[in-house]
Amino acid sequence: MIAGIELGLIYAIMALGVYLTFRVLDFPDLTVDQSFTSGAATAAMVIINGGSPWLATAVGFVAGGLAGLITALLHTKARINGLLAGILTMTALYSVNLRLMDGKANLALLREDTVFTPLREVGLQGTIGGVLLLLVGVLVVKVLLDWFLYTDAGLAMQATGDNPEMIRSFGVNTDRQKILGLCLSNALVGLAGALIAQYQGFADIGMGIGMIVVGLASVILGQGIFGTRTVVVTTLAVVLGSVLYRLVITVALQAGLNPSDMKLISAVLVVIALVLPQLSVFKRWKRRRTLRAAQEVQADVGATTEHPVTAAIGAVDARKGA
């Protein structure tokens, strides 16, 4: 279970990238399945050739960003449909990733130093201490993403996803926002790929297949359970959703399910996360939670100033009396 939580925290970085495109930009980006592998492949090659693990992780981040840049340019400059642009980039990247791996389908890192080697040497990997260190690292990424989404560029990106026509009328270049969003999203995915390769001790040409489903499952599961009131809450929900998803997978494996069924389980989890909010029981629970939050806000406002509705009624009564 500890290993499942550790994996869930690393995959949470990838889920944050998926959240950026699917929720913030409202862009169906399928590049994720291969930008994840690109990050893993480049990091593995840097480490095998004697490079620093931290440099390898940074290179994986950049490689993922470049993959996102290709999709963004195909969509914004070549005017190719977003879904098709992602598919084209994903298809091309399979061959590119094989080239990066010197034509090998698998690269082993078991005898190489990685960013997780110090944790193994002091006996922290697979323990609560290791989980806490990973949690701190993921929270740093989350806080940086939260900060970015509250900057002018981040707010323009959110507006581009919500209402591109409106934000375009204010002089914002929506194509530039899409390019920035896709680059940042896939850079986070590439970073997660680089970390997963070092954590598991290998990079495989097929390790990114189905990553988009994993990312969507984490985003939908987390937001469905923990809510989406603010950006800070939403990104935290994505992180928790990733950990919850990985724990479900771990439990399923421990229950004796075949590892080859994991893709089926992922698809079922996504379906459940999509259907659950539509159930009447869940709707009532969500309505009660929203009402409770509104009552708390009303109580806070009433403690400092007169409630707007009460003030309006008093004004009407005074006008009638006059």
Side-chain angles (χ1 to χ4, degrees):
M1 297 298 288
I2 295 294
I5 295 174
E6 288 180 340
L7 280 173
L9 288 171
I10 299 174
Y11 278 114
I13 299 175
M14 181 269 299
L16 288 171
V18 173
Y19 158 75
L20 200 57
T21 48
F22 276 84
R23 290 302 196 202
V24 176
L25 273 180
D26 194 23
F27 187 94
D29 182 27
L30 298 185
T31 316
V32 171
D33 277 14
Q34 287 302 320
S35 60
F36 185 87
T37 307
S38 296
T42 51
M45 287 304 297
V46 170
I47 291 174
I48 289 174
N49 287 287
S52 164
W54 294 105
L55 174 63
T57 304
V59 171
F61 178 84
V62 174
L66 291 175
L69 177 63
I70 296 171
T71 300
L73 292 177
L74 286 176
H75 174 62
T76 58
K77 303 305 180 183
R79 298 302 172 188
I80 298 175
N81 175 271
L83 186 62
L84 180 57
I87 292 173
L88 289 172
T89 306
M90 178 182 65
T91 304
L93 280 178
Y94 184 87
S95 298
V96 173
N97 291 335
L98 270 177
R99 290 272 186 174
L100 289 173
M101 298 170 69
D102 284 339
K104 301 175 183 177
N106 188 286
L107 294 174
L109 298 173
L110 295 177
R111 297 179 181 178
E112 305 289 345
D113 287 337
T114 69
V115 294
F116 297 101
T117 299
L119 293 180
R120 284 198 297 269
E121 290 177 347
V122 299
L124 282 178
Q125 187 168 340
T127 66
I128 297 297
V131 169
L132 292 177
L133 286 175
L134 279 174
L135 178 61
V136 170
V138 173
L139 287 179
V140 168
V141 175
K142 173 206 172 317
V143 169
L144 288 175
L145 182 59
D146 292 341
W147 169 81
F148 167 76
L149 289 175
Y150 279 115
T151 62
D152 290 342
L155 292 172
M157 188 179 297
Q158 294 183 63
T160 299
D162 289 336
N163 194 332
E165 289 79 12
M166 180 273 293
I167 196 64
R168 201 178 293 122
S169 68
F170 286 100
V172 174
N173 189 325
T174 53
D175 285 350
R176 195 172 299 164
Q177 294 301 318
K178 290 179 181 179
I179 292 173
L180 176 61
L182 284 167
C183 287
L184 180 56
S185 167
N186 284 279
L188 290 174
V189 174
L191 173 61
L195 292 174
I196 286 293
Q198 295 177 70
Y199 182 86
Q200 295 181 338
F202 68 91
D204 188 88
I205 190 62
M207 67 189 302
I209 297 176
M211 278 300 111
I212 188 62
V213 177
V214 174
L216 282 175
S218 302
V219 172
I220 296 171
L221 206 60
Q223 292 185 352
I225 294 176
F226 302 105
T228 58
R229 289 187 296 276
T230 64
V231 169
V232 174
V233 172
T234 302
T235 52
L236 180 60
V238 171
V239 173
L240 295 176
S242 176
V243 174
L244 180 60
Y245 169 83
R246 191 52 51 180
L247 285 176
V248 171
I249 295 295
T250 302
V251 171
L253 288 173
Q254 291 180 347
L257 290 179
N258 196 314
S260 61
D261 295 331
M262 290 304 101
K263 303 299 182 187
L264 175 61
I265 295 175
S266 299
V268 171
L269 280 175
V270 173
V271 172
I272 292 174
L274 288 171
V275 172
L276 187 62
Q278 302 179 34
L279 299 178
S280 58
V281 175
F282 187 86
K283 286 181 178 179
R284 286 196 298 269
W285 172 76
K286 194 170 183 178
R287 196 179 300 117
R288 284 198 299 267
R289 190 177 65 176
T290 304
L291 180 60
R292 193 180 305 116
Q295 290 173 343
E296 291 175 358
V297 171
Q298 182 177 340
D300 292 339
V301 172
T304 55
T305 60
E306 188 178 12
H307 194 273
V309 175
T310 305
I313 293 174
V316 171
D317 291 340
R319 194 177 299 113
K320 288 179 178 179

